[in-house]
Each structure stands twice: as C-alpha cells, then as structure tokens.
Amino acid sequence: MSRLVAVAFGALVVATFGAFFVAQRLKNAPSVVQRFRLTPLFSPNHDGRLDHAFVNFKLKRDDVVTVAVVDAAGDEVRVLADARRIHAYRPTRFAWDGRTDAGARAPDGNYRIRLTLLREGRSVVVPRRVRLDVTPPRPRVVSIGPFRASGPEILPEPDDAQATVHLLVPGRRPVVRLYKTSPGATRLVLAQPLPDGVTTWRWDGRSDGRPVSPGTYLVAIETRDKAGNRGFSPALDRRGLPIVPYGARLPGRGGIAVRYLGVLPPDVPTAVGQQADFAVDARQRPWTWSVRRVGSRKILAGGRKTTPRLRLHAPGPLSGVYLLQVRTATHATTVPFPVQAQEHSPVLVVLPVMTWQGRNPIDDDGDGIPNLLDRGVGVKLDRVYAGDGLPQGFAERDAPLLSWLDHGHHRYDVTTDVALATGKGPPLEGHKGVILPSDVRWLPRGLQQRLRRFVRRGGTLASFGVDSLSRQVTLAGGGQQLVDPTPPATTDLFGARLRPLTTLPAPTNVVESDDGVQFFAGTTGAFGPFSVVQEADSLGAGVDVVARAVTENPQTGRPVIAATRVGKGLVLRFPLPELPARLATPDPQVKGLLDRTWTLLSR
C-alpha cells in the first residue's frame, strides 16, 4: 500500500510541474484578444448618463466567441453574445444594461467579462472590472443656523444676518435649490451650483437682489457620484418639486421662514375688562396697533410699541369678536380675538381655532413644509397666523355672520373650541343654541360627544361650515398641540353623509322642499343663486328631517339647507360658502332665513 501511495504522489508532482510549465507557456504566448476595453463604472438607472457598460476588443484570429458577464465569485450573470462568429482584427463591441439573464437588475458590485473562444478551446476571464452602481449618494441639509436650535430659521434678522445652511454633500457637482412651499403651490425660487466639498451655504432672504415675499421656504440639495447617480434631499417628483409624504416630515432640517410681521392672539376668550395678551413678531422694528370690532371701522384703542408683547384691556361691554391690527413701516397684519361679557346670553358662538390653526401654513418643525392637519401631521396652537393674519375664510364667512349678529342687536356669548376642550370660558351647558360660524373640521372626540349630547338633550346647533364635524384630533402638550388628526369619517357627527363641495355648472337656486318647523317662514323658500354647494346623500339614519331646501336640479335635488331633529334638539345646516356674504347685500331671503334661525336658536 505504501508503494502505491508513493507512486500516486509522484504522479501528482509531475502533473503539477507540467501544468505550471503549460501555464507559463500560455501566459507568455501572444494574446489572441487585443485592445480590450471595458467601461469601468456605470449606473443603469435610465437617466441617460452611463446607463450601459461597453465591452470592446479585437481578435488576432477568426473565432466563435461567447461573451458573458460574471460576478466576483465567477458565476455567470448575463450572456452578451452566444457563439458569435467574429473576424480577426475587426473592432467588436457589446453593451450590458445591468440586467441578468432573467431580466432582473443585477445587484451593485464588481463584475468581469469572460470570453470563451471555441476554436481556441479555452475561456479567458479578463482581469479588468466594471463597477455597477445604481445607489445614489445621500446628501442632506443637516441644520440651519445660527439663531434657532429647533424649528425653521427665521429671516430677516434685525442685523441683516444671513441664514447658514450646514450641508452633508457626498459626491460632486452639488446644486442647492430653494423652494417656496407656502402660501400657494410649491415653486422653485432659485438654483445655485456649489463647489465640490462644500459644507455650508448662506442665504440672506433675497432673490435677484430683492427681499422675497413672506412664507415658508425649503432648502434642498442635489449631488452626483462618479457613476452619475443623482442624490436628492428631499426626493423630487418628475416636475422637480419636493415629494411631501402624508403624515410624515421631510428628512433633514431645511426650513427657513421669511416673516416680516406676525401676531399670535389668545385662543380662548378674554373677559371684558381683563387683559388680553398678544405676542408680536415685528423683527425688532417699531410698530403701531389698533383695535376695532368685527364689522365696524371705529377704532376703540391703539398705540405704538417696540417690544414683542402687547397687553390690552378687552373692550366691552358686549360679547363679540374684535380685530387687532398691527403695522410696521412696510407690513400689516390683522388677527381676531374673542371677548366675553359678564352677563350671559342663551346663544353661544364657537370660533373654530383648531381648524384655523390646522390650516395655518406655518412650519413648526423646521423641515421646510407647513405643518397642516390636512397633511396628517400635528400642529402647534401657539403660532402666529400666516399671510394677512386672518384665518382661512374668516373675511368671507365668519366676519359677515358676526357682523349680522351685531347689527341685528343679537346678544350672544362667544368662545372657542380650544376653550371648550380645556374647560375655559363659557361652557355649552346653560345655552339654548350654538352657532358654528364656519368650517369645523377637527374636534377632539370628547368635545364631539359633548356637542352631540347638547343637541340630544334639547339644544339647537347651527352649522355654517363645509366638510365639518367629520374628523377628530387629539389636544396634547398641555393644550398647546393638536396631534393624530384623522381622515374624514363616512358620516359626520350627526350621521349625515355629505358629498364633496361641488362647483355647479351654472349658478343654481336652493329651494324649499318641505318644512315642518317653519324653518323657512318669512321667506319665499328660494335662496340663491349659488355657485358652490355641499349636498347630502343622506341626513342621517334614525333622524327626523323636519325641513330641507334642495338644489333646483331635477336630476339630483339633493338636500343642502336642512333642519333635522336629533333627540330633543335640532341641527340646522347651511353648507353654502357664499351664503354669509349675502348678508352684506340686499338679499331679503337670506336675511329672513337667518332671522328665523336666530329664533330657533334662542327660543
């Protein structure tokens, strides 16, 4: 047995030396493959740049060749040519699109080319490598300073200091973009190439040498890697605009707020004669102020200040909503605030501060996108009102209705949904009627239940809102933050199934269909014409529809204005955005309808 082992070992040694000398002979022999070139790096991401890897070579002699891509382990990934006849000295080129033979994209990594020469009877794995890379770089706006540790940076600063944007920019050829994300549709303000290796960018709040308009701005960064992959932060859509996910914030901290003047009013009613506190951001510039009642031009108080806070005695003696106007040399803003009288009235007006702030396009967390309940993200209650200071729809809807109440000498109490939810100001209990003067989109579940209980026990609720009372929100942070907004339910608080707000093909009247409580007494039963309405598919299962006016359309005739009995009480609906403005015109039908509404609320 030992002789057999020795013989075998000797044969193995001889074979090894033989293979070594054969390999040396092949290595030193002139190569059959000449002028081999291979794209070193490519990114098959269909951006039109470096989407293919190219293989170029010539053969010294005619041959039949199979060209394949192999991975680092030598496993075949893709056959580029199978038994292809190639003539000597003819330039040959093959392209690889990064796909496997199965059609899937090959993973990022290093690959080689294997040439099988059938006539030569051998395969050659060319040492040169091609790098497939479709992973884009990940740039990021790390922070913006130097003045704020959280939230957006605010410009302009009193000393005209610039905002310093700190960047993480892997790759090369960076481009910084500035978008205005509110108010209005998102739009590009400027794009500026930056040098490689940059870590900061500064902005002074100007574009083309002029100060930009107030609003929320987003700093975005783009960069490329060697393979040509483009990385963006945040991600952009096909139009080149930031992709804003529902219910989430953007990565990084790219927010800049441009604000020349802003005012934060109290979100609960102030008692007549007590101090109402306002925060004023005039960027340390002097400002003047004045107060008047909604619907009146009479100035009740005013003055001049330079400090960021105003404390004024709430005017009276009656409950109502007042307007504080603040002016600097270049800008003005006006905000509403409620004042409650000492004597109580049977009707309570509830201002929808939660909806006002839920729609207020202000960036709370510094990501460059406004925090809006409609986006599914939480909002702060202690933030100034954007734009001219008036909440969305206030001038067209809340103000005309409040003015009508005052000019008609209708006494009422006033509060806000925030005050009701936190137990401040006049409560629901003890009132006969409640007026919701405009959209009430979001309310905490507990407050919704209290409103429903108020009606079922005999109260009357008049809602002048659109798309109202079908969403919930949680009041958190000690009553200073709204979180976890829900999407609209299929029915509202009282079971009505409402259709989306609709713009009619032509202005249309809303006409009385039936009336069991003299809801339309004192009118002809026809109102309008209106261009925008919210019709109801159903006013609620198990409720008694006691009066309704429908669109004057023989094809639909769905209810718009309606009175329903819920328990012992009434719900009066006016989902017509144009209706309050009719109170400022000689429209006897609308005024007659509102007079009857007041009677039902206060009786």
Side-chain angles (χ1 to χ4, degrees):
M1 179 67 72
S2 60
R3 177 178 291 181
L4 180 61
V5 172
V7 172
F9 177 74
L12 179 62
V13 171
V14 172
T16 301
F17 275 96
F20 173 76
F21 285 116
V22 171
Q24 287 296 104
R25 181 175 61 82
L26 291 175
K27 179 179 179 181
N28 293 327
S31 174
V32 176
V33 180
Q34 299 181 344
R35 295 188 180 181
F36 183 90
R37 296 192 303 275
L38 177 63
T39 302
L41 184 67
F42 79 121
S43 56
N45 54 16
H46 305 292
D47 66 351
R49 299 181 71 258
L50 299 176
D51 283 334
H52 292 82
F54 295 100
V55 183
N56 299 270
F57 61 88
K58 292 181 181 180
L59 294 183
K60 188 175 180 181
R61 290 182 289 274
D62 289 0
D63 212 324
V64 177
V65 180
T66 295
V67 182
V69 179
V70 298
D71 61 18
D75 296 327
E76 186 176 283
V77 175
R78 177 75 176 273
V79 175
L80 303 181
D82 188 12
R84 179 82 59 85
R85 184 175 180 178
I86 299 177
H87 294 288
Y89 298 108
R90 177 174 294 178
T92 304
R93 186 185 199 192
F94 298 99
W96 181 36
D97 61 1
R99 299 282 176 177
T100 68
D101 284 331
R105 176 176 287 173
D108 285 8
N110 294 319
Y111 296 86
R112 295 181 180 182
I113 301 300
R114 183 178 67 205
L115 302 176
T116 301
L117 309 174
L118 299 184
R119 291 182 179 178
E120 287 282 325
R122 61 171 172 161
S123 293
V124 178
V125 177
V126 182
R128 294 181 185 176
R129 298 174 180 175
V130 57
R131 175 75 181 174
L132 186 157
D133 181 4
V134 294
T135 303
R138 296 182 178 179
R140 187 161 58 93
V141 177
V142 179
S143 63
I144 301 180
F147 299 102
R148 292 175 67 85
S150 62
E153 190 71 7
I154 300 178
L155 292 178
E157 287 296 330
D159 56 358
D160 293 326
Q162 297 180 331
T164 301
V165 182
H166 299 275
L167 304 170
L168 176 65
V169 190
R172 55 185 181 175
R173 298 172 61 185
V175 176
V176 67
R177 291 184 176 86
L178 184 71
Y179 297 89
K180 186 175 184 181
T181 58
S182 75
T186 299
R187 54 205 178 276
L188 180 66
V189 175
L190 62 86
Q192 179 181 335
L194 301 179
D196 291 349
V198 69
T199 58
T200 59
W201 176 71
R202 290 178 173 82
W203 186 51
D204 61 0
R206 296 174 179 268
S207 177
D208 296 329
R210 295 178 296 180
V212 298
S213 57
T216 299
Y217 291 79
L218 166 65
V219 181
I221 186 70
E222 172 197 348
T223 187
R224 295 178 183 267
D225 61 16
K226 291 182 178 180
N229 296 299
R230 301 168 69 192
F232 302 91
S233 181
L236 305 182
D237 62 18
R238 292 183 178 181
R239 300 172 298 166
L241 300 177
I243 297 174
V244 182
Y246 180 84
R249 68 186 306 274
L250 293 183
R253 183 169 170 259
I256 298 177
V258 175
R259 180 190 303 158
Y260 301 101
L261 179 62
V263 177
L264 172 64
D267 55 18
V268 298
T270 303
V272 169
Q274 300 298 310
Q275 284 191 342
D277 289 338
F278 300 82
V280 179
D281 181 8
R283 313 312 294 156
Q284 298 188 16
R285 290 176 172 81
W287 47 278
T288 60
W289 63 274
S290 62
V291 172
R292 61 183 176 87
R293 193 177 178 100
V294 168
S296 172
R297 296 183 179 182
K298 181 180 180 181
I299 302 300
L300 303 176
R304 179 181 177 86
K305 292 182 69 69
T306 57
T307 59
R309 187 164 297 277
L310 170 66
R311 292 181 175 177
L312 59 87
H313 290 285
L318 302 178
S319 297
V321 179
Y322 292 81
L323 300 175
L324 170 69
Q325 184 178 74
V326 175
R327 288 183 174 274
T328 64
T330 56
H331 293 83
T333 189
T334 303
V335 294
F337 65 101
V339 174
Q340 172 59 34
Q342 298 296 328
E343 295 184 2
H344 290 279
S345 301
V347 177
L348 178 65
V349 174
V350 181
L351 302 181
V353 170
M354 294 186 191
T355 298
W356 290 351
Q357 284 289 13
R359 291 170 156 180
N360 185 18
I362 295 290
D363 177 15
D364 292 342
D365 48 29
D367 69 343
I369 298 295
N371 288 62
L372 300 169
L373 293 183
D374 277 321
R375 282 191 50 233
V377 297
V379 307
K380 294 180 179 179
L381 287 172
D382 57 343
R383 54 186 192 168
V384 302
Y385 284 97
D388 61 3
L390 293 177
Q392 181 177 330
F394 181 88
E396 300 80 17
R397 301 173 66 186
D398 301 81
L401 187 59
L402 293 166
S403 296
W404 173 81
L405 290 172
D406 291 342
H407 293 159
H409 305 289
H410 299 304
R411 302 289 182 90
Y412 57 91
D413 290 343
V414 65
T415 189
T416 68
D417 48 11
V418 175
L420 287 177
T422 55
K424 301 174 182 177
L428 288 173
E429 294 74 21
H431 291 92
K432 296 179 179 179
V434 168
I435 297 176
L436 306 180
S438 60
D439 302 349
V440 181
R441 285 202 170 194
W442 297 275
L443 287 177
R445 183 171 181 270
L447 183 51
Q448 285 187 343
Q449 292 175 334
R450 288 169 56 194
L451 279 173
R452 187 164 48 219
R453 188 163 52 245
F454 169 81
V455 173
R456 296 189 68 86
R457 291 178 176 177
T460 299
L461 175 73
S463 172
F464 292 84
V466 172
D467 202 16
S468 291
L469 302 175
S470 63
R471 297 170 174 85
Q472 294 183 357
V473 72
T474 299
L475 190 60
Q480 290 301 307
Q481 192 168 11
L482 300 173
V483 299
D484 301 328
T486 69
T490 55
T491 60
D492 72 4
L493 181 60
F494 298 100
R497 189 181 300 274
L498 304 175
R499 300 174 66 84
L501 188 67
T502 302
T503 300
L504 301 173
T508 303
N509 283 331
V510 175
V511 296
E512 177 185 347
S513 174
D514 51 77
D515 188 359
V517 290
Q518 299 298 303
F519 189 26
F520 304 115
T523 74
T524 62
F527 311 95
F530 298 106
S531 300
V532 184
V533 301
Q534 185 173 36
E535 299 173 307
D537 283 330
S538 167
L539 291 170
V543 301
D544 182 16
V545 181
V546 294
R548 58 186 165 184
V550 303
T551 49
E552 196 174 41
N553 186 333
Q555 295 180 346
T556 59
R558 296 185 182 95
V560 179
I561 301 172
T564 57
R565 191 170 298 283
V566 179
K568 298 179 180 179
L570 287 175
V571 176
L572 312 178
R573 301 175 183 274
F574 306 88
L576 293 159
E578 299 165 310
L579 185 143
R582 300 289 176 88
L583 293 169
T585 65
D587 189 332
Q589 304 308 315
V590 170
K591 291 182 178 179
L593 177 64
L594 268 291
D595 285 338
R596 179 58 181 164
T597 298
W598 178 259
T599 299
L600 294 173
L601 284 165
S602 57
R603 66 180 182 182

